[in-house]
Amino acid sequence: MSATAIPGEPPGGRRALAVWGTGVSVYFVAVIFRTSLGVAGLDAADRFHVNASALSTFSILQLLVYAGMQIPVGLLVDRLGTKKVLALGAVLFTAGQLGFAFSPTYGMALASRALLGCGDALTFISVLRLGSRWFPARRGPLVAQFAGLVGMAGNLVSTLVLARLLHGVGWTAAFAGSAAAGAVVLVLVLLFLKDHPEGREPEPLPHQGAAYVRRQIAASWREPGTRLGLWVHFTTQFPAMVFLLLWGLPFLVEAQGLSRAVAGELLTLVVLSNMVVGLVYGQIVARHHGARLPLALGTVGTTAALWAATLAYPGPHAPMWLLIVLCTVLGACGPASMIGFDFARPANPPERQGTASGITNMGGFVASMTTLLAVGVLLDATGDDWSLAFSVVFVLQAVGVSQILRLRRRAQRRERERLVASRVETVHVPA
């Protein structure tokens, strides 16, 4: 028996791609809706007559809901399966996008973004679980990176298409029209998505109420790989997330003196870089697991260096070449954050994959939420001192790196022990 032919693994293939593609289309639309505020931040400030702190509350509330739901979503996916959870997510984020389109007041718009964040929270963990059910484990890193790539394609749509619609047909028509995509993917899920291949139904989990929930969470958290995955996700994801979700366009326009068109092109560069780097990182990690931490820490170090160079540049504005390099490097943050799941996945059995992924996925969104709030508060407190406001990035990176270095040896030792045990079991499986 070959080293990769593990008994009971799903075979993958065209059917798997079709089902997984249906699921990932929901995540694609969710990211379009999630990042739509990134190209509409200045318009939202004018529409609702709010300052920087109030504007950041839109994204903070959305991410607060998203991050707070990750463990419950993981438990839901483990209990109910992917189809039901994705269908519910599509209903909620479509309702949130429609509500945002027609909100006449700041309060109603906040409620709509919270509803959108709730639906968005149900998508990514479901897509990861779907991939683990339909593809062999050795394809896990590549499948996860492809999911992230599709999500960034959604970001690209919001940057290029929604931004033009917003300034062409207006606020209500742009957001309400985009909500139609949510209805389309809901129909696709209901008609075509299946939780697992035929004949590969997982063992039913007995419902044990709160005791079951506590055991799932506690068992996942006890694994060093789960905690390492969380801190890798925390440290790598948030610089690009904050830039794309809200503060990138105002920073480039107000602090760097660029036009909206040029700033939009730089945001597009972040997305394109993310898609290219995601393919590269996925191939590297799938073939060389030892490259996971060097890739993650290298991305963090390079991002910090470029941010420092941009914010400390002695002239009134950073040169265009430096902004281009910064945006290119920010594109690597998303793929680097996906490496966190490559620590959590092998540390947990299949029945805990959703819960462990939910814990991991909290990391980057908690960091993003914290940074969004801190930047808004510092901008208001300092009279729009962008260099001081964005310096919070370095604080969170330092916290994250310290935790990664603290956990890395325990997680790697535990992973080696599991690998040795699985090889012994494979040797004893009859041919």
Side-chain angles (χ1 to χ4, degrees), residues 245-256:
L245 199 60
L246 183 61
W247 291 123
L249 187 69
F251 170 74
L252 294 172
V253 172
E254 296 179 1
Q256 299 302 319

Side-chain angles (χ1 to χ4, degrees), residues 75 78-79 202-213 215-216 351:
L75 291 164
D78 287 337
R79 287 289 308 170
E203 290 291 329
L205 294 174
H207 180 67
Q208 298 175 1
Y212 162 77
V213 171
R215 280 198 299 270
Q216 284 286 92
E351 63 270 18

Side-chain angles (χ1 to χ4, degrees), residues 317-343:
H317 304 303
M320 179 57 70
W321 67 264
L322 182 55
L323 295 176
I324 290 173
V325 175
L326 172 67
C327 290
T328 302
V329 171
L330 284 175
C333 292
S337 72
M338 300 301 293
I339 295 173
F341 298 102
D342 294 318
F343 287 105

